[in-house]
Amino acid sequence: MQSVQVLIVGAGPVGLALAIELGHRGIRCLLVERNDRVGYAPRAKTTNVRTREHLRRWGIADQLRAASPLGMDYPSNVVFVTRLAGPELTRFENAMYCAPGRNPLYSEHAQWIPQYTVEEVLRAHAQSLPGVELRFNCELGGFDQDEEGVEVHLHDRVGDTDFCVRADYVVGADGARSKVRELIGARMEGTYGLSRNYNIVFRAPGLAQAHRHGPAIMYWQVNTELPSLIGPMDRGDTWFFMPTRVPEGVKLSDLDAAALIRQATGLDLPYEVLSSDEWVASRLIADRYSDRRVFLAGDACHLHPPFGGYGMNMGVADGVDLGWKLAARLQGWGGDALLASYEAERRPVHEWVMAEAEANHAVLGNQLSAAGVEDDTPEGRRLRAEIGVRIQATKMREFATLGVVLGYRYEDSPVTVPDGTAAPARDFINYVPTSRPGSLAPHAWLHDGSSLYDLFGPGFTLLAAPQADRAELERIRLQCADARLPLKVLQCEEGGVASLYPTRYTLVRPDQHVAWRGNDWPEDGRGLLDRVTGRAPG
């Protein structure tokens, strides 16, 4: 029987991110996927700044950049129009922070790129890592847990054979219809069926030149007849089209998709439909994320509408959080409380993001339109101006979301140590960096052009002020070595860094979140280390 340390079910972005995080830490893992992960399905199209920072940490941000089908200089504008053939209502420029160039708040800009291309880059990197094995067309049958591990029953769909694998831990990253979730008896709770929607991928040579609104990553068509979203997706004049809030009783199979696109855009072009599928927007979260040695990540434990571009990115963050903690436990320097902290940290983030996504979903073209919006009359022009103002007021939170993307905090985590300072107000737009425990460690560009993040170690990093006592630093190193905690000590004399990290010491976790900060290393330094690694109760 094959033996691995972690078996991951599902080879989408979440499972791949987890496998990469484990592979970089020397953990042997097997990633199984019942499909072969090919197709046109648009799924996610925004890889946000935080996800790309993880890719930078893994050394593959440049590979994703090079894979951009539209080119990195393609403007990430979101334009609201009545139709592609009609007048413009308003626009958001540099939506999602995709514009190249350095921003002091983050080390990597976002990227508009199809999810299947992101998967290709992640998959190639995962397969290059020693200890990481991927098996496609391999289906989970079931598993049995005991105190020492999990015996997993698998089925090879190509060879039509059954076999078993012994794993220390199992992670279900197997999506909305998760079999792993079913097997551990977890239930999804919340609201199913907020709306019905269609995804249609098509080829349309000349469409980009047939309208007067200029390049954009997404065009919202706001009218009373066929409100929808449309935009370029890939090379070869490949676009996506998504009618929103489709009425009950209307079936995709009954529609002429090409005629629907022609009607929605007002542009009479040859439209070649490549794929189409129906999806239902819901807000659901699992009642629990784990059962002993089995964990859930990504859509297997949380689902929400896609508006805001959070879904895939939130799942990748799940993989990162769970990945370093599983590695720490397997390598002996992390305790059981570290694994328990996974749900304690991620659930509040999921609930915040789900609320944001649902708020965005509540205001689509269906709600923004009004009778007469397309009229070429003074009243029609006045109405379009009013709708443009309303769009700016209501949709800003969907396209300018740095406060959510970088501002989420693990302040109530059992493996972070609060310092008594007040939590900053939650803000979906504005991100204010802080080294307060639980927060993402503030980013800074250094004088040599590198990122402060590039200097962080793969384990914990202790940012020490230049005036920190050398003898005390040596004592800290010895305590960490005794605890088998991987630690890098980093002293930076640049003023910009000092202003972001005002205490003498800041302890940063492997996922770049702050675990503790203070002006004096505690007398019971070992107790602090046991707390942040989950070997002592929080």
Side-chain angles (χ1 to χ4, degrees):
M1 182 187 300
Q2 182 183 358
S3 177
V4 296
Q5 292 174 288
V6 180
L7 188 140
I8 305 165
V9 183
V14 180
L16 289 167
L18 176 58
I20 290 170
E21 193 70 30
L22 292 169
H24 272 265
R25 301 179 187 283
I27 301 300
R28 290 178 294 104
C29 59
L30 172 63
L31 179 59
V32 298
E33 167 60 51
R34 70 184 308 273
N35 301 309
D36 54 13
R37 302 300 299 182
V38 296
Y40 290 110
R43 296 191 182 94
K45 292 175 283 294
T46 302
T47 303
N48 71 22
V49 297
R50 187 64 191 133
T51 297
R52 279 187 48 84
E53 286 185 327
H54 291 308
L55 268 69
R56 182 187 183 103
R57 187 166 52 83
W58 297 330
I60 56 173
D62 287 344
Q63 284 92 315
L64 190 70
R65 185 178 292 108
S68 176
L70 304 180
M72 291 306 297
D73 293 324
Y74 185 89
S76 62
N77 300 331
V78 175
V79 182
F80 285 74
V81 297
T82 59
R83 302 173 194 262
L84 279 184
E88 179 176 320
L89 300 170
T90 191
R91 65 174 55 212
F92 295 88
E93 297 186 345
N94 189 28
M96 316 291 188
Y97 313 92
C98 293
R102 294 193 169 184
N103 186 304
L105 297 176
Y106 47 79
S107 62
E108 289 287 339
H109 58 82
Q111 190 171 345
W112 179 261
I113 185 169
Q115 177 177 317
Y116 54 75
T117 305
V118 177
E119 289 184 23
E120 290 171 4
V121 172
L122 294 177
R123 184 164 57 246
H125 186 58
Q127 290 175 314
S128 74
L129 298 172
V132 176
E133 179 185 355
L134 277 72
R135 293 191 62 158
F136 294 89
N137 295 299
C138 184
E139 189 170 13
L140 173 68
F143 50 73
D144 299 296
Q145 295 193 63
D146 56 41
E147 292 183 0
E148 302 299 324
V150 189
E151 184 172 305
V152 187
H153 310 283
L154 299 169
H155 178 73
D156 184 331
R157 302 178 70 189
V158 175
D160 194 23
T161 57
D162 297 324
F163 63 102
C164 291
V165 173
R166 183 75 177 176
D168 292 292
Y169 296 97
V170 171
V171 179
D174 49 343
R177 297 178 178 87
S178 171
K179 185 164 187 176
V180 177
R181 183 182 68 232
E182 175 188 338
L183 289 170
I184 68 171
R187 300 187 312 275
M188 295 294 265
E189 299 176 338
T191 305
Y192 175 82
L194 295 171
S195 68
R196 293 174 58 239
N197 309 270
Y198 296 149
N199 274 331
I200 298 171
V201 179
F202 65 97
R203 184 175 291 116
L207 180 56
Q209 295 77 35
H211 64 84
R212 61 179 183 273
H213 303 295
I217 57 175
M218 193 187 310
Y219 304 87
W220 286 59
Q221 301 187 116
V222 179
N223 57 67
T224 56
E225 182 185 31
L226 194 54
S228 53
L229 281 69
I230 191 169
M233 185 177 140
D234 207 338
R235 299 177 179 88
D237 298 299
T238 303
W239 291 62
F240 70 90
F241 173 66
M242 190 179 81
T244 53
R245 291 189 183 274
V246 178
E248 288 294 333
V250 177
K251 297 181 180 180
L252 184 58
S253 58
D254 297 334
L255 300 175
D256 182 338
L260 203 65
I261 298 167
R262 191 173 293 112
Q263 178 186 4
T265 61
L267 297 171
D268 187 9
L269 294 172
Y271 298 106
E272 177 191 358
V273 175
L274 302 176
S275 70
S276 57
D277 62 273
E278 180 181 336
W279 60 275
V280 177
S282 301
R283 177 177 173 171
L284 298 167
I285 191 165
D287 61 347
R288 55 194 173 97
Y289 290 9
S290 64
D291 174 28
R292 292 169 289 166
R293 290 178 171 268
V294 180
F295 295 82
L296 303 174
D299 287 355
C301 57
H302 51 83
L303 286 168
H304 56 78
F307 300 96
Y310 297 118
M312 180 196 75
N313 297 286
M314 193 158 60
V316 169
D318 292 348
V320 169
D321 187 274
L322 184 57
W324 78 264
K325 292 172 179 176
L326 283 171
R329 187 72 186 89
L330 288 164
Q331 291 167 344
W333 57 269
D336 288 337
L338 191 61
L339 294 183
S341 75
Y342 165 65
E343 181 172 347
E345 291 185 348
R346 295 302 296 163
R347 179 179 288 275
V349 177
H350 297 155
E351 290 175 340
W352 181 23
V353 170
M354 288 167 66
E356 288 293 315
E358 187 175 20
N360 293 334
H361 173 267
V363 185
L364 302 179
N366 311 61
Q367 289 75 36
L368 295 167
S369 189
V373 68
E374 298 185 86
D375 293 351
D376 187 17
T377 63
E379 176 61 20
R381 288 189 286 274
R382 182 194 64 78
L383 183 59
R384 287 191 290 276
E386 289 181 358
I387 291 174
V389 171
R390 181 151 38 106
I391 291 169
Q392 285 291 332
T394 57
K395 301 304 283 182
M396 175 70 75
R397 72 187 308 152
E398 185 167 340
F399 306 117
T401 59
L402 209 60
V404 179
V405 171
L406 298 180
Y408 64 89
R409 306 184 295 267
Y410 299 145
E411 57 193 6
D412 295 325
S413 168
V415 294
T416 61
V417 183
D419 65 354
T421 58
R426 181 171 284 181
D427 190 322
F428 63 86
I429 292 180
N430 298 298
Y431 166 62
V432 179
T434 173
S435 63
R436 186 173 177 270
S439 302
L440 178 65
H443 174 261
W445 291 109
L446 304 180
H447 295 169
D448 64 1
S450 65
S451 164
L452 176 65
Y453 288 173
D454 297 340
L455 302 183
F456 287 1
F460 278 74
T461 299
L462 182 69
L463 269 74
Q467 66 271 24
D469 181 72
R470 289 187 178 182
E472 187 167 48
L473 286 176
E474 184 59 27
R475 181 169 66 88
I476 295 170
R477 286 192 181 96
L478 289 173
Q479 287 182 351
C480 290
D482 183 59
R484 293 192 294 166
L485 177 74
L487 178 76
K488 179 178 181 179
V489 176
L490 177 61
Q491 289 180 280
C492 185
E493 297 184 1
E494 296 184 16
V497 174
S499 64
L500 292 168
Y501 295 89
T503 55
R504 185 177 289 116
Y505 300 112
T506 305
L507 188 62
V508 180
R509 309 184 332 176
D511 60 354
Q512 299 175 341
H513 280 259
V514 176
W516 168 88
R517 68 175 179 177
N519 286 316
D520 298 293
W521 187 257
E523 286 295 322
D524 182 20
R526 181 59 190 264
L528 168 62
L529 297 179
D530 286 346
R531 170 74 178 271
V532 301
T533 58
R535 290 180 291 193

